[in-house]
Structure formats: structure tokens, C-alpha cells
Amino acid sequence: MPDPTRFAGQTVIVTGAARGIGEGIATRFAADGAKVLLVDLIPEVEETAARLGQKAFTCDVTARGAGEAIAKAALAAFGRIDVLVNNAGIGGSKKLLDSDDDLIERIIDTDLSAVLRVTRAVVPHLPQPGGRIVNISSTFGLTGYPGTTAYAVAKAGIAQFTRQLSGELGPSGIRVNAVAPGVIQTPMTMAHRENPFYMRVVVDPIPLERMGEPADIAGPVAFLASEDAAFVTGVVLPVDGGYLAARHGKL
Ligand code: NDP
């Protein structure tokens, strides 16, 4: 349950926070007492931030220098950065043989390369010890799911980036973890719900027999950023209603 003292005095950056999972994460951190900078490409981020009583920064995370600009905006707004949540991402992936150069480049750049660049720019501003990074991977990055190749490869990259960086930053006292969501009801997955193959293969076998909501991801993200997870780093936590553990488990 939200606790307004949990992140009191701390500041959190959430990318891709105008809507969907990012909005849910920003909402949870705000309810847990943090000051939040909501970053997004779309101007609606201003409304989302205003609704939460927080600050917005409109920015394309793939732009060169985006990480530096985000860090500067957070420091100007709050004077410090404690937590970075790399959530911004895009779908729209296809089978490899149906993916043109532009699609592959756009997905890998947004869902993987931009995360590395933004993180590299923000890390020097995190407290050492005490900084925390939470990345958003995907169950599609942890198991094969034909038809979303560039996306799945990027999200597998996020899982490995999380492990890699936990080793590089652990000695500085910065923890790096990831959440791998299963199917979450957001604008990104809206169209898939009309697709019978997706419903049969990805949704019907979920042991908890429902799709997730953004709040289902926000709680575990806040946990990984909290003191309760003080000895947890390098972990990629599936939050998927049991899909990876026991899909097709219904008899
Ligand atoms: P949404 O598309 O609903 O929200 C993502 C937000 O990020 C949008 O506002 C989007 O803007 C923004 N964004 C996209 N590209 C950029 C960019 N270059 N710079 C800044 N902001 C950007 O997606 P979800 O909430 O569903 O997904 C959030 C994260 O969770 C993503 O990383 C996704 O891959 C991951 N995820 C989602 C799952 C799901 O089932 N929903 C499952 C597993 C992982 P715009 O509308 O312009 O694209």
C-alpha cells in the first residue's frame, strides 16, 4: 500500500510517463512521497504531471543529449536525483523478415540504445551510495515469442544491461534492477486485444487469469527502488501473473 513517507525527500525520474505503465509508476512514487519528473515525447505529459502535482519534461529519449537534458531538468526542478526509471518504449515490432531497416533501427534505438545513453548521463548525478535504477524489460525479452523480434531482442538487452550495470555500479552503492512486465492493459497493448492469436497465446494461459494493470507494475518498481530491497541488485523480476512460470498451466 502507498506510504507517503517511503520516498519523502527523494526525487525520481520516470521516462515514458505521460500514460500507461509510466503514468502508473509516477503515480505510485508520488503517493509514496517522492518528487517526480515525468518525461515523455508527447505533450500530454504536462497534464499527467499537473494531475499528480509533479513536474513534466517533454523530451524524446532517443535524441542525442536527451539524458543530459533530462538530468539538467530534474536538477533544476528538485536539486537532486535519487532514482531513475527507464520505462519509455515502443512496440510495433514484426517478424524479422517483415522488418525493414527503419523499423529495426527505431525499435532498438528507443527500447535499448536510448536506455544506455540516458542512464550514462544520469548516473554521475545519483548519490553514491544510494542511487537506484529500475529498468523496464518484458517477458518477451525473457522467452521466445515469434513475431516481435526487434522488440524482444531489445528487451533481452535491457535484462542483460541490468545485470551488467549492477556489477559496474555496485561498488559505488548504486543498485540496478529491472521489472519484466507480462501483458499490461495500456494504449500499447490496446490493439492486440482485438487479435485472437494474441489473446489465445499470450493472455489465456496467464495463471492468474487476467491482464495486468499499470499499478501491478508500479508496486514492484517502487519495491525495487525502496530500502526494503537494499540488498537486491542485478535482478530482472517478472511481473506477469505467472505466465513465465507456468503458462499453459490451466487444465
Ligand atoms: P505506452 O505506449 O502506453 O506508453 C509509453 C509512453 O512512452 C508513451 O507516452 C510514449 O509516447 C512514450 N515514449 C515512446 N517513445 C518515447 C521516446 N522516444 N521518448 C520519450 N517518450 C517516449 O506503453 P506501455 O505503458 O504499455 O509501456 C511502457 C513500457 O513497458 C515500455 O518500455 C514497454 O515496452 C514495456 N512493456 C509493456 C508491456 C505491456 O503489456 N503494456 C509488457 C512488457 C513491457 P508515444 O505515445 O508517442 O509513443
Side-chain angles (χ1 to χ4, degrees):
M1 294 305 290
D3 168 4
T5 65
R6 194 183 200 190
F7 294 105
Q10 298 189 35
T11 71
V12 180
I13 296 169
V14 183
T15 67
R19 62 183 207 184
I21 292 173
E23 179 183 3
I25 293 169
T27 302
R28 179 60 193 263
F29 275 110
D32 278 348
K35 291 176 183 155
V36 186
L37 184 73
L38 290 85
V39 177
D40 207 292
L41 195 56
I42 54 176
E44 285 88 325
V45 70
E46 297 282 351
E47 289 159 38
T48 310
R51 199 167 56 245
L52 297 177
Q54 303 294 332
K55 302 272 188 199
F57 183 59
T58 307
C59 170
D60 179 345
V61 294
T62 66
R64 295 293 151 156
E68 287 77 3
I70 292 167
K72 199 170 159 195
L75 292 171
F78 305 128
R80 57 182 291 148
I81 306 167
D82 297 284
V83 179
L84 169 65
V85 182
N86 286 307
N87 166 78
I90 55 171
S93 200
K94 297 180 177 173
K95 287 181 188 171
L96 180 64
L97 298 189
D98 295 334
S99 305
D100 62 22
D101 290 357
D102 285 349
L103 182 70
I104 293 172
E105 200 173 302
R106 195 156 49 82
I107 290 177
I108 299 288
D109 197 34
T110 307
D111 292 348
L112 181 58
S113 304
V115 174
L116 272 68
R117 293 195 299 265
V118 168
T119 303
R120 187 187 58 195
V122 171
V123 163
H125 304 287
L126 293 174
Q128 301 182 17
R132 283 138 286 158
I133 297 166
V134 184
N135 299 317
I136 304 301
S137 176
S138 168
T139 49
F140 286 6
L142 301 181
T143 185
Y145 182 72
T148 61
T149 299
Y151 178 82
V153 167
K155 290 300 186 178
I158 292 295
Q160 183 60 11
F161 175 55
T162 300
R163 290 184 283 266
Q164 195 70 27
L165 201 63
S166 69
E168 293 181 10
L169 299 183
S172 308
I174 295 176
R175 296 190 295 105
V176 188
N177 291 293
V179 165
V183 181
I184 310 300
Q185 301 204 57
T186 69
M188 184 189 271
T189 52
M190 191 82 78
H192 299 329
R193 283 171 244 165
E194 311 301 319
N195 176 345
F197 175 75
Y198 179 86
M199 294 304 288
R200 185 164 48 79
V201 173
V202 180
V203 177
D204 289 349
I206 297 172
L208 290 183
E209 296 194 328
R210 68 171 177 89
M211 296 191 208
E213 302 288 337
D216 291 314
I217 302 303
V221 169
F223 161 70
L224 289 170
S226 77
E227 270 306 292
D228 287 337
F231 201 49
V232 181
T233 195
V235 157
V236 182
L237 176 66
V239 180
D240 63 353
Y243 180 83
L244 283 183
R247 64 183 180 275
H248 311 302
K250 276 182 272 177
L251 301 173

